[in-house]
Amino acid sequence: ARPYLKEEKEENKMNSFNLIKTFLSRRGAQPGQQERGPGRPRPGSPRRKQTECRNRLEELQRQEQSRASGTGKARRERDGRASLKKQREPPKKDKEVLGKEETRKQLKKPRSSSSLASSTSAGESMSEEELAQILEQVEEKKKLINTVRNKPWPMAKKLTELREAQAFVEKYEGALGKGKGKRLYAYRMLMAKVRDWRQRPAGRPLSHFGSSVASYFIFLRWMYGVNLVLFGLIFGLVIIPEVLMGVPYGSIPRKTVPRAEEEKAMDFSVLWDFEGYIKYSALFYGYYNNQRTIGWLRYRLPMAYFMVGVSVFGYSLMIVIRSMASNTQGSTSEGESDNFTFSFKMFTSWDYLIGNSETADNKYVSITTSFKESIVDEQESNKEENIHLTRFLRVLANFLIICCLCGSGYLIYFVVKRSQEFSKMQNVTWYERNEVEIVMSLLGMFCPPLFETIAALENYHPRIGLKWQLGRIFALFLGNLYTFLLALMDDVHLKLSNEAKIKNITHWTLFNYYNSSGWNASVPRPPLHPADVPRGSCWETAVGIEFMRLTVSDMLVTYITILLGDFVRACFVRFMNYCWCWDLEAGFPSYAEFDISGNVLGLIFNQGMIWMGSFYAPGLVGINVLRLLTSMYFQCWAVMSSNVPHERVFKASRSDNFYMGLLLLVLFLSLLPVAYTIMSLPPSFDCGPFSGKNRMYDVLQETIENDFPTFLGKIFAFLANPGLIIPAILLMFLAIYYLNSVSKSLSRANAQLRKKIQALREVEKNHKSIKNRATDSGETPKSSSNSATQLQITKAEPTSHSAGQTQTLDKKAQDPGTSGPASGMRLPASQLPPGSQPLEVRPDSSKPQVQTHPWRSAPGKSTQRPPH
Amino acid sequence: MRLFYRYQDLAPQLVPLDYTSCPAVKVPYELIGSMPELKDNPFRERIVQVFSEDGDGHMTLDNFLDMFSVMSGMAPRDLKAYYAFRIYDFNDDNYICAWDLEQTVTRLTRGELSAEEISLVCEKVLDEADSDHDGRLSLEDFQSMILRAPDFLSTFHIRI
């Protein structure tokens, strides 16, 4: 798959004119091939470039003859084709060869199988070679179908070509017995539809608010996809087996509501707090039994629970890192923008997605200001004013913000402590029960605006200011989350210390119950009803419930903020504007802006809570999926109906990886507490899949010892030896260091090469300006593009081409094809993996120029555009 | 399919439902330019002209489809660069000259900049992107410049 991708990349980089050229020559080639087939009708032949066409035809026929002599038997047909490939390669242009190889690789398997099948059935009328030819043609047509979208033809031409090609493929594909292709095609269409659906919710705000708001929705959608996978994992491997095959509800104490809570267990207020029946359901950790295997499948549930918990983190880590890597690969041309500041501003600053007049107004203003800014920058680059005051203000602002952070952290710690006291008391009010969540949500609501006002002191550039703002809110959320976790940990330790006592009580109760005097010893007593057994507090479920509540309250607060803060405000402003003393829309309340940074951070932290909580509450991911789905549509609606676009329209293309980095950090931070609890806290003795074990990870050892053969167990024990692990870690560090230094040196080489190219361009400029004065103006573009080709592709050919002659075109097309990509273009590609795109682009973009100009300058000749 | 309905919505009296029977119907520029996707675009006139066959801004369905396939996210970079060049080339002489640049700046800023500022900007752009010092940008110059632009693909994109 690797070379295929590479080729495709190169192909994409090819100029569109090159495509035209290629296509024309291919059209020239097809009649030649088809003459050899048994009388196939060939519709239109190209009216242009007759000579080239004829040349190619002759060439092909010559090859055909040589091949016919070379291939004799059916067994050897593959070798024959290989040699044919070799023969054909040199005369053809690089483009075509690339394309051929690509399709060949793709379809090697079906081809060989089908041709083998046909060779065994002697009744086949066609010979091997004809078959191969048809296959080749089919592939070419298929390729045409795939690439027809990329060609700058008018639609009518595209359509006719496409129909022709499709008809051809259908006709001969059926004959060759490749029915599989059709099914594959249907599958692909299905996937395309799915992709289309996935893009739809982001589509509408995308076209109205510019790309920054859209990036939030794309992020949300991506998150939804990740959560769906996690949900499938947990639901399919843990919840469903437990519900289907586990011991039913009410059979053992951990699956039964205790007697004391029983009469209230179905009340809505209790259920709303995730107590009662919900607490003792498969949504939470405590429900799961510690039987090693369940059901007739002998499904090892505790093991599965553990592995799913680990793989949730594994999958998330993998996918976050993968998308980060693909993002960095996408943005190759970094650090080069300083060359073309004004050009980029002029040609790419308009966001074509904007379809809303307000956004457009803002965009105009921002473009104007940016132009003015860069003009001012250009005129006077350094003018610092009163640096001491700015510095003082910035220090002050940071101090204030740190105070805020500490205050909020303490507040949360205090509240969590208080809630622990409340939880011991009976009959607490609703407010006291939900104090933690309310305080956290309020902090999340009011601190960011506070930060924003403080940040106004600092007088940063808006983009840097946004980064600071994001960082501060991030610190706030993180601090809050970790304070919450620490307080929760205290709680857990408290419960753990209580647990030993309760364990004794439980044993004692059971013992007493069975040995109570005054009962006939010969009659066995009925076992104690599960609801009556005293039990421990099950700290895992308690933690899970906390996370569940936090998630739900967070969701509700988000929705209520949207409803009150945006929708009601928008309605108020809209309808009261008719009878008010000042202009509400322009003045004070106005409409709300869509707060991208806050929303993204909220999403990230919510995801962090999901990651942390999903080990203790398997149902949490399901709730989160619902939440994301609803908020996708709800926020979409809210944005469309009641928000105005930003005043400063800034681009979001760069901040994608910033968000991803934050997400990765949060993922790592949420991994820590879970790993801590798994590795060093004893699980509750009477609930959950790991009850009765010393540590949660004991389930792994148990499985290895009991279910695998003994030598495997020995191997694992050997692997877990510290003497082996420490060297492995050392080795990893060394590898990281090595790779890091390699990448550094590569990037240095990249920079040097770029400098070299810059220098070359300068030389070329001077050279050309001299030349320009000497030569006629009509020759200018030609010679310039030629010299560009010379410089980039090391000495392709030092000839000067005359204008519209087909000979030149042919030569030109062949020469870079053979020498250019082999030596000049591939070299930078292999040397500089990530940042080399601009290097390769230049030869590509300069080369086809030669072919372009005759076509552009003589529109009378161009037959690409048939008259309508 | 969706595009066709959009196209038809633009001029329900002109475009028959059964499109195949009379494919030569054109929709005038005024209607296309007032599409919500285009109506705020400072270059809408150019876009429509470039994609219409005879340069007068009236489009057939084929032209219309062309336009949105180039502007869609699936179109390759080079194709987009080519059409972007044609859009910014106001006088259709296959070069972006200083006059074209002035037009572009004026449209982008709605004439908020003064004449000196505009000329300064144009000078700068020519200085940066013009690799052969002939005082105008050829397609080659334009492509080598635009292909390095980080957000060209994300901004030169219309979603329908």
Side-chain angles (χ1 to χ4, degrees):
Chain A
R2 273 276 123 199
Y4 170 69
L5 281 178
K6 201 170 169 189
E7 279 160 13
E8 198 176 48
K9 225 185 202 170
E10 267 175 36
E11 181 197 356
N12 278 338
K13 270 181 233 147
M14 287 282 183
N15 198 299
S16 47
F17 291 108
N18 207 5
L19 285 174
I20 294 186
K21 175 82 175 57
T22 315
F23 178 73
L24 277 177
S25 62
R26 197 186 298 148
R27 276 183 78 180
Q30 272 159 6
Q33 290 175 349
Q34 263 165 357
E35 272 180 21
R36 282 170 273 126
R40 244 155 274 144
R42 172 68 203 172
S45 71
R47 289 162 290 274
R48 190 171 159 251
K49 295 187 190 167
Q50 296 278 346
T51 49
E52 184 195 341
C53 196
R54 213 170 297 136
N55 282 344
R56 199 160 293 285
L57 211 150
E58 282 168 13
E59 257 171 31
L60 285 173
Q61 277 172 347
R62 230 177 297 132
Q63 284 156 19
E64 162 68 18
Q65 286 162 5
S66 65
R67 193 179 53 150
S69 60
T71 55
K73 289 173 190 168
R75 281 293 124 199
R76 275 172 55 198
E77 55 96 17
R78 274 186 74 153
D79 302 4
R81 199 181 298 140
S83 69
L84 159 75
K85 211 195 298 182
K86 267 176 207 151
Q87 281 173 6
R88 275 207 186 171
E89 248 168 20
K92 290 220 174 184
K93 299 194 310 284
D94 69 319
K95 173 68 178 52
E96 205 148 344
V97 170
L98 284 180
K100 280 245 162 106
E101 274 177 0
E102 176 182 318
T103 43
R104 217 167 255 150
K105 259 167 211 157
Q106 249 179 327
L107 294 163
K108 200 158 210 166
K109 216 170 154 196
R111 268 181 73 171
S112 58
S113 64
S114 70
S115 51
L116 275 179
S118 65
S119 70
T120 47
S121 66
E124 193 77 51
S125 61
M126 292 186 217
S127 72
E128 280 299 323
E129 285 166 26
E130 280 166 352
L131 208 72
Q133 276 165 26
I134 294 171
L135 272 167
E136 222 155 76
Q137 282 166 352
V138 164
E139 278 156 26
E140 255 174 33
K141 291 281 185 186
K142 263 187 181 169
K143 186 154 177 296
L144 179 65
I145 292 173
N146 286 335
T147 55
V148 73
R149 188 197 282 276
N150 301 349
K151 298 176 186 180
W153 303 331
M155 190 55 80
K157 182 174 164 66
K158 277 186 191 174
L159 271 181
T160 48
E161 287 294 336
L162 192 64
R163 286 211 187 104
E164 222 171 73
Q166 268 171 347
F168 187 84
V169 167
E170 292 230 333
K171 189 173 165 196
Y172 290 103
E173 215 171 44
L176 295 172
K178 279 203 290 185
K180 222 166 76 180
K182 209 169 261 178
R183 226 173 298 151
L184 201 72
Y185 181 70
Y187 175 73
R188 269 196 202 140
M189 288 307 287
L190 195 72
M191 290 311 287
K193 261 183 200 158
V194 168
R195 216 178 308 137
D196 192 40
W197 173 80
R198 278 173 54 198
Q199 281 171 358
R200 186 120 355 130
R204 293 204 310 153
L206 204 68
S207 61
H208 282 254
F209 284 79
S211 53
S212 55
V213 171
S215 79
Y216 167 71
F217 281 96
I218 290 170
F219 188 63
L220 182 63
R221 203 183 60 208
W222 182 84
M223 205 71 114
Y224 176 66
V226 171
N227 271 292
L228 264 189
V229 173
L230 294 186
F231 175 68
L233 211 64
I234 289 180
F235 197 72
L237 291 181
V238 172
I239 296 184
I240 293 271
E242 173 69 29
V243 169
L244 286 185
M245 300 189 288
V247 191
Y249 173 83
S251 51
I252 49 174
R254 71 187 65 185
K255 297 192 178 190
T256 321
V257 178
R259 189 72 77 197
E261 299 173 16
E262 211 162 51
E263 71 266 26
K264 285 199 300 180
M266 211 47 208
D267 293 356
F268 182 73
S269 63
V270 174
L271 288 183
W272 184 244
D273 286 336
F274 297 103
E275 298 280 342
Y277 282 110
I278 291 189
K279 185 178 176 183
Y280 300 95
S281 73
L283 290 184
F284 289 105
Y285 172 92
Y287 182 80
Y288 295 87
N289 199 1
N290 62 343
Q291 263 181 318
R292 278 201 62 232
T293 56
I294 56 170
W296 51 272
L297 277 177
R298 307 193 60 69
Y299 188 75
R300 285 171 175 71
L301 189 85
M303 182 69 187
Y305 195 98
F306 186 80
M307 292 316 282
V308 165
V310 171
S311 58
V312 160
F313 280 103
Y315 173 77
S316 316
L317 266 178
M318 198 186 71
I319 200 149
V320 169
I321 287 178
R322 250 185 57 184
S323 69
M324 276 181 84
S326 67
N327 272 354
T328 42
Q329 271 173 6
S331 65
T332 46
S333 51
E334 197 125 359
E336 233 187 301
S337 46
D338 47 340
N339 283 340
F340 295 106
T341 337
F342 279 95
S343 314
F344 287 171
K345 279 223 173 74
M346 180 171 286
F347 294 120
T348 66
S349 59
W350 182 260
D351 196 343
Y352 279 66
L353 284 176
I354 291 174
N356 182 348
S357 55
E358 285 174 53
T359 324
D361 287 344
N362 290 336
K363 190 77 190 174
Y364 282 123
V365 173
S366 81
I367 288 176
T368 314
T369 47
S370 81
F371 265 122
K372 278 183 177 162
E373 265 174 20
S374 41
I375 288 172
V376 169
D377 279 357
E378 198 62 31
Q379 281 167 348
E380 37 191 326
S381 51
N382 41 357
K383 192 188 105 189
E384 289 295 315
E385 43 158 281
N386 205 351
I387 195 155
H388 291 295
L389 180 65
T390 334
R391 211 173 268 168
F392 170 72
L393 280 179
R394 283 180 187 175
V395 169
L396 181 71
N398 276 319
F399 179 72
L400 282 179
I401 282 171
I402 287 176
C403 283
C404 282
L405 290 179
C406 291
S408 74
Y410 178 72
L411 188 62
I412 288 182
Y413 189 73
F414 175 73
V415 167
V416 173
K417 278 284 171 205
R418 228 161 75 109
S419 78
Q420 283 162 13
E421 281 167 26
F422 284 139
S423 67
K424 279 177 207 129
M425 287 193 284
Q426 297 300 312
N427 58 22
V428 284
T429 60
W430 179 84
Y431 167 72
E432 283 165 342
R433 226 173 22 231
N434 291 307
E435 202 179 35
V436 186
E437 289 80 21
I438 292 172
V439 166
M440 278 184 81
S441 306
L442 284 182
L443 276 177
M445 225 159 76
F446 286 112
C447 275
L450 188 66
F451 287 171
E452 209 158 337
T453 38
I454 293 176
L457 281 178
E458 293 179 308
N459 200 11
Y460 275 125
H461 185 272
R463 202 166 293 151
I464 304 170
L466 179 77
K467 282 268 163 73
W468 274 95
Q469 171 81 358
L470 275 179
R472 279 166 188 160
I473 301 173
F474 189 74
L476 170 80
F477 279 2
L478 205 64
N480 293 356
L481 200 64
Y482 257 69
T483 331
F484 172 73
L485 274 183
L486 284 182
L488 213 60
M489 268 321 171
D490 275 356
D491 199 19
V492 165
H493 280 294
L494 200 73
K495 279 189 175 150
L496 275 179
S497 59
N498 280 344
E499 208 157 63
K501 214 164 49 191
I502 297 175
K503 201 171 175 179
N504 277 343
I505 294 174
T506 315
H507 279 297
W508 189 242
T509 321
L510 287 179
F511 183 75
N512 273 352
Y513 182 71
Y514 285 115
N515 292 339
S516 53
S517 55
W519 195 269
N520 196 346
S522 60
V523 182
R525 288 193 58 174
L528 187 63
H529 190 267
D532 292 330
V533 179
R535 60 185 86 166
S537 48
C538 196
W539 59 268
E540 291 96 340
T541 301
V543 170
I545 287 178
E546 284 296 325
F547 279 115
M548 200 76 126
R549 274 192 208 154
L550 258 185
T551 310
V552 170
S553 74
D554 189 37
M555 174 167 79
L556 290 182
V557 167
T558 316
Y559 289 171
I560 289 171
T561 339
I562 289 175
L563 266 186
L564 283 186
D566 293 350
F567 185 62
V568 175
R569 180 169 155 191
C571 287
F572 177 76
V573 170
R574 182 85 184 78
F575 295 114
M576 295 302 280
N577 202 22
Y578 300 118
C579 48
W580 205 263
C581 23
W582 68 82
D583 187 8
L584 280 176
E585 287 186 349
F588 161 60
S590 82
Y591 297 106
E593 281 182 359
F594 186 70
D595 177 20
I596 301 168
S597 56
N599 272 309
V600 167
L601 282 183
L603 199 60
I604 287 176
F605 272 89
N606 172 56
Q607 192 58 36
M609 280 193 288
I610 303 302
W611 275 323
M612 267 190 268
S614 67
F615 192 75
Y616 306 110
L620 191 57
V621 182
I623 287 185
N624 193 38
V625 165
L626 277 185
R627 173 215 156 110
L628 288 177
L629 188 66
T630 49
S631 76
M632 192 147 66
Y633 286 99
F634 185 61
Q635 285 193 319
C636 219
W637 166 79
V639 164
M640 298 293 293
S641 67
S642 56
N643 280 16
V644 289
H646 271 261
E647 273 178 35
R648 307 190 306 252
V649 182
F650 53 88
K651 280 192 210 76
S653 56
R654 288 299 172 77
S655 44
D656 277 349
N657 246 359
F658 185 65
Y659 295 153
M660 282 292 172
L662 288 186
L663 191 64
L664 188 66
L665 187 65
V666 165
L667 176 57
F668 182 71
L669 288 177
S670 58
L671 178 62
L672 284 184
V674 174
Y676 170 73
T677 50
I678 287 179
M679 298 309 275
S680 56
L681 285 185
S684 309
F685 73 98
D686 65 346
C687 69
F690 310 115
S691 55
K693 298 195 175 53
N694 239 349
R695 294 280 181 267
M696 289 182 186
Y697 64 87
D698 282 348
V699 72
L700 264 186
Q701 283 175 358
E702 191 190 68
T703 313
I704 288 170
E705 276 165 21
N706 297 344
D707 295 338
F708 287 113
T710 47
F711 73 90
L712 265 180
K714 267 181 196 161
I715 290 175
F716 276 113
F718 179 66
L719 283 182
N721 191 5
L724 208 68
I725 288 179
I726 290 172
I729 291 176
L730 273 181
L731 197 70
M732 267 203 265
F733 272 116
L734 283 180
I736 289 173
Y737 175 74
Y738 172 71
L739 287 180
N740 200 18
S741 60
V742 163
S743 79
K744 254 184 204 161
S745 69
L746 278 181
S747 68
R748 211 176 298 135
N750 201 352
Q752 268 177 0
L753 278 177
R754 195 174 289 150
K755 247 184 236 165
K756 221 174 261 177
I757 282 185
Q758 197 71 33
L760 273 180
R761 269 182 65 204
E762 292 299 322
V763 171
E764 174 195 343
K765 270 187 186 178
N766 298 334
H767 180 66
K768 218 177 301 165
S769 50
I770 294 167
K771 214 175 178 181
N772 275 351
R773 272 169 230 139
T775 52
D776 190 7
S777 63
E779 290 281 301
T780 307
K782 204 125 325 296
S783 59
S784 76
S785 50
N786 265 342
S787 57
T789 321
Q790 279 170 30
L791 279 172
Q792 298 306 327
I793 307 166
T794 51
K795 304 191 183 37
E797 41 167 356
T799 51
S800 63
H801 303 289
S802 53
Q805 290 184 0
T806 50
Q807 201 185 10
T808 320
L809 290 172
D810 238 350
K811 230 178 171 181
K812 190 67 197 153
Q814 284 171 13
D815 269 333
T818 50
S819 71
S823 61
M825 279 163 57
R826 286 280 168 79
L827 199 65
S830 56
Q831 271 185 358
L832 326 161
S836 62
Q837 203 164 359
L839 292 181
E840 293 170 282
V841 170
R842 278 208 50 89
D844 279 338
S845 59
S846 62
K847 180 178 50 174
Q849 231 32 50
V850 187
Q851 301 139 15
T852 318
H853 284 291
W855 176 62
R856 299 285 315 159
S857 59
K861 270 197 214 168
S862 68
T863 50
Q864 278 89 347
R865 296 175 168 252
H868 278 260
Chain B
M1 211 54 206
R2 268 199 302 156
L3 266 175
F4 174 64
Y5 286 122
R6 285 300 305 270
Y7 182 71
Q8 203 201 6
D9 281 348
L10 287 176
Q13 71 279 15
L14 286 181
V15 184
L17 246 185
D18 182 19
Y19 176 74
T20 43
S21 61
C22 45
V25 178
K26 288 185 172 182
V27 171
Y29 163 68
E30 292 76 38
L31 288 172
I32 301 236
S34 63
M35 280 178 74
E37 280 83 5
L38 286 175
K39 75 175 194 300
D40 295 305
N41 199 317
F43 304 113
R44 57 180 178 280
E45 202 182 310
R46 284 297 306 159
I47 297 176
V48 175
Q49 277 173 16
V50 163
F51 284 101
S52 69
E53 246 152 67
D54 34 8
D56 58 354
H58 306 317
M59 294 183 117
T60 62
L61 177 63
D62 285 343
N63 303 141
F64 190 73
L65 289 179
D66 258 347
M67 175 163 84
F68 283 103
S69 83
V70 169
M71 291 309 216
S72 76
M74 313 247 258
R77 238 180 142 97
D78 298 304
L79 190 66
K80 285 187 172 228
Y82 169 65
Y83 277 106
F85 178 79
R86 293 195 49 195
I87 285 171
Y88 291 124
D89 178 16
F90 280 83
N91 50 10
D92 282 323
D93 61 352
N94 299 326
Y95 291 100
I96 296 184
C97 55
W99 185 76
D100 293 328
L101 290 177
E102 273 169 30
Q103 286 288 313
T104 314
V105 177
T106 323
R107 282 180 195 230
L108 272 179
T109 57
R110 280 188 182 163
E112 300 268 319
L113 292 179
S114 65
E116 299 99 66
E117 282 170 324
I118 289 178
S119 63
L120 182 73
V121 169
C122 297
E123 216 175 275
K124 278 280 160 197
V125 169
L126 282 179
D127 190 36
E128 283 165 1
D130 185 14
S131 63
D132 48 5
H133 284 304
D134 58 352
R136 50 191 187 173
L137 299 185
S138 61
L139 178 58
E140 177 209 349
D141 296 334
F142 184 78
Q143 277 177 334
S144 68
M145 185 272 295
I146 207 81
L147 291 181
R148 295 184 201 191
D151 4 81
F152 172 62
L153 278 190
S154 63
T155 55
F156 197 73
H157 178 187
I158 293 179
R159 184 184 278 276
I160 207 161

